[in-house]
């Protein structure tokens, strides 16, 4: 009888040692838990990370409890992100062709050098639509000035570029573009291109994409001549948010031509470079100021024209 009592006492002691929490794994103090829960309620990931890190520093023996809270929060974040993606996809699938477009209008002034040295009005419109796999971008731009009843600068550009995303990095692109600049020697320059691109970096503060492919370009010169050329196109698109309100943009495209498409005369090669650098400063959520510098280089310009034109723009941009 005494032996049975002793065995029960030993068993109870062992069970008590297993079940009772040790001082190193006690319940996380309510104050620390309340701080973490308040950070989670704010929906600010940085606040949550800071609160959890502070709790780990203040209560190193409560790592298991803190890790459980962190894991539950991460799981909830992942669930919400998945629900948000599913809802976005549903809206895209249900949207019509003219829906879900976003854009921005730009208006300001410019100062040019090269074939013309003038100042005048600059305006542009950009529209974008992002789908599940497809992306579309439409750009229209004009630089215009009249002096004493005479047009001293008249430059137009319009382009449409669709993209198909194979995955988060690799994409295929198409491009159709029209340019007109009589003071650079052509009434119309048409380009058609298609190829592959790659997003080298795609982060919240920094993105870099490159693309390349063959192209066909038709040029109607001001003198009345017209040429059709086979070309190759390479492009670069960089966006870097330096600070919360300040961003740097860099767009570059190079078109290298062979000779006439029919005869393939490689001795009459021509290369065109378009380089646009910009600084954007956000004034409000929708309004920002931009200072941009553009370089247009043509290695074989029409007779009487120089190879390089530059344009400095100061504009306001409104997003919608």
């Amino acid at each position: 009888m005494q032996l049975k009592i002793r065995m029960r006492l030993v068993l109870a002691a062992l069970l008590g040692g297993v079940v009772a929490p040790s001082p190193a794994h006690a319940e996380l103090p309510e104050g620390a838990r309340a701080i973490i829960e308040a950070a989670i309620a704010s929906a600010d990931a940085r606040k949550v990370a800071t609160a959890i890190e502070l709790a780990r520093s203040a209560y190193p023996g409560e790592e298991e409890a803190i890790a459980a809270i962190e894991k539950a929060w991460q799981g909830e974040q992942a669930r919400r992100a998945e629900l948000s993606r599913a809802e976005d996809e549903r809206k895209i699938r249900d949207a019509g062709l003219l829906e879900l477009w976003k854009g921005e209008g730009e208006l300001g002034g410019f100062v040019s050098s090269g074939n013309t040295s003038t100042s005048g009005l600059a305006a542009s419109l950009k529209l974008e639509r992002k789908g599940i796999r497809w992306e579309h971008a439409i750009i229209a731009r004009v630089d215009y000035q009249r002096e004493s009843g005479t047009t001293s600068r008249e430059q137009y550009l319009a382009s449409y570029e669709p993209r198909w995303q194979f995955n988060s990095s690799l994409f295929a692109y198409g491009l159709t573009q029209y340019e007109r600049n009589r003071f650079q020697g052509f009434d119309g320059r048409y380009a058609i291109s298609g190829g592959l691109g790659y997003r080298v970096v795609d982060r919240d503060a920094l993105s870099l994409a490159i693309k390349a492919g063959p192209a066909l370009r038709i040029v109607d010169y001001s003198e009345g001549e017209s040429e059709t050329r086979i070309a190759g196109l390479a492009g670069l698109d960089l966006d870097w948010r330096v600070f919360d309100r300040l961003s740097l943009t860099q767009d570059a495209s190079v078109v290298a031509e062979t000779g006439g498409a029919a005869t393939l005369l490689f001795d009459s090669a021509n290369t065109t470079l378009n380089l646009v650098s910009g600084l954007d400063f956000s004034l409000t959520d929708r309004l920002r100021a931009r200072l941009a510098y553009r370089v247009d280089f043509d290695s074989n310009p029409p007779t009487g024209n120089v190879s390089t034109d530059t344009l400095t723009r100061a504009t306001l941009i409104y997003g919608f």
Side-chain angles (χ1 to χ4, degrees):
M1 183 71 178
Q2 292 180 349
L3 180 60
K4 289 182 178 180
I5 293 174
R6 288 179 182 177
M7 289 181 64
R8 288 177 181 176
L9 290 173
V10 171
L11 182 59
L14 290 173
L15 289 174
V18 172
V19 175
S22 65
H25 293 87
E27 181 72 18
L28 187 66
E30 284 301 320
R33 185 180 294 273
I35 291 174
I36 296 175
E37 290 176 352
I40 291 174
S42 72
D44 188 330
R46 289 180 296 182
K47 289 183 180 180
V48 176
T50 300
I52 290 175
E53 186 62 29
L54 289 174
R56 282 197 170 104
S57 299
Y59 305 99
E62 310 304 330
E63 172 59 31
E64 185 176 342
I66 296 171
I69 295 174
E70 184 179 30
K71 184 177 180 180
W73 172 70
Q74 291 174 343
E76 180 63 18
Q77 290 293 99
R79 187 185 69 83
R80 290 182 179 181
E82 183 61 30
L83 289 175
S84 178
R85 282 194 295 269
E87 179 63 17
D88 290 342
E89 287 191 8
R90 185 194 65 78
K91 289 180 180 179
I92 292 171
R93 295 183 191 279
D94 294 344
L97 183 62
L98 300 180
E99 296 179 303
L100 302 183
W101 286 89
K102 295 182 179 180
E104 58 184 37
E106 183 177 7
L107 183 64
F110 70 84
V111 176
S112 68
S113 66
N115 288 293
T116 60
S117 297
T118 60
S119 59
L121 177 68
S124 72
L125 176 66
K126 182 178 181 179
L127 299 174
E128 291 183 336
R129 188 183 191 274
K130 292 186 177 181
I132 300 172
R133 291 286 186 179
W134 281 102
E135 295 183 8
H136 305 268
I138 299 173
I139 297 175
R141 178 177 296 120
V142 57
D143 298 311
Y144 186 78
Q145 185 190 37
R146 287 181 66 85
E147 291 181 330
S148 303
T150 303
T151 301
S152 55
R153 183 175 183 86
E154 185 181 11
Q155 182 175 6
Y156 303 99
L157 182 144
S159 69
Y160 167 59
E161 181 176 345
R163 289 184 178 183
W164 169 265
Q165 293 288 152
F166 293 104
N167 52 46
S168 59
S169 298
L170 184 65
F171 62 88
Y173 79 91
L175 176 66
T176 58
Q177 181 172 291
Y178 165 78
E179 298 175 84
R180 173 178 174 144
N181 190 337
R182 293 188 297 108
F183 295 92
Q184 209 173 21
F186 57 88
D187 289 336
R189 185 160 64 189
Y190 311 86
I192 301 174
S193 178
L196 294 176
Y198 188 80
R199 298 183 191 273
V200 182
V201 181
D202 190 10
R203 302 173 185 167
D204 289 340
L206 178 65
S207 64
L208 172 63
I210 56 176
K211 63 184 178 184
L216 176 69
R217 186 154 71 171
I218 302 171
V219 184
D220 294 331
Y221 293 103
S222 301
E223 295 84 356
E225 297 179 356
S226 180
E227 290 184 335
T228 300
R229 297 179 179 275
I230 294 176
L233 182 144
L236 176 147
D237 185 2
L238 169 69
D239 293 292
W240 176 29
R241 191 175 70 244
V242 184
F243 304 110
D244 285 342
R245 291 186 174 272
L246 183 66
S247 299
L248 170 68
T249 62
Q250 180 67 69
D251 299 316
S253 63
V254 181
V255 180
E257 298 179 352
T258 66
T263 56
L264 298 178
L265 298 176
F266 294 95
D267 59 341
S268 61
N270 185 31
T271 299
T272 300
L273 168 66
N274 303 117
L275 183 67
V276 183
S277 303
L279 280 175
D280 287 13
F281 183 78
S282 297
L283 302 174
T284 67
D285 290 342
R286 291 184 177 271
L287 186 66
R288 66 185 191 272
R290 170 178 289 175
L291 181 64
Y293 183 72
R294 179 184 178 98
V295 177
D296 294 320
F297 173 78
D298 193 335
S299 66
N300 188 20
T303 303
N305 292 73
V306 299
S307 295
T308 304
D309 278 330
T310 66
L311 196 70
T312 302
R313 290 190 184 94
T315 56
L316 289 175
I317 301 173
Y318 182 77
F320 56 89

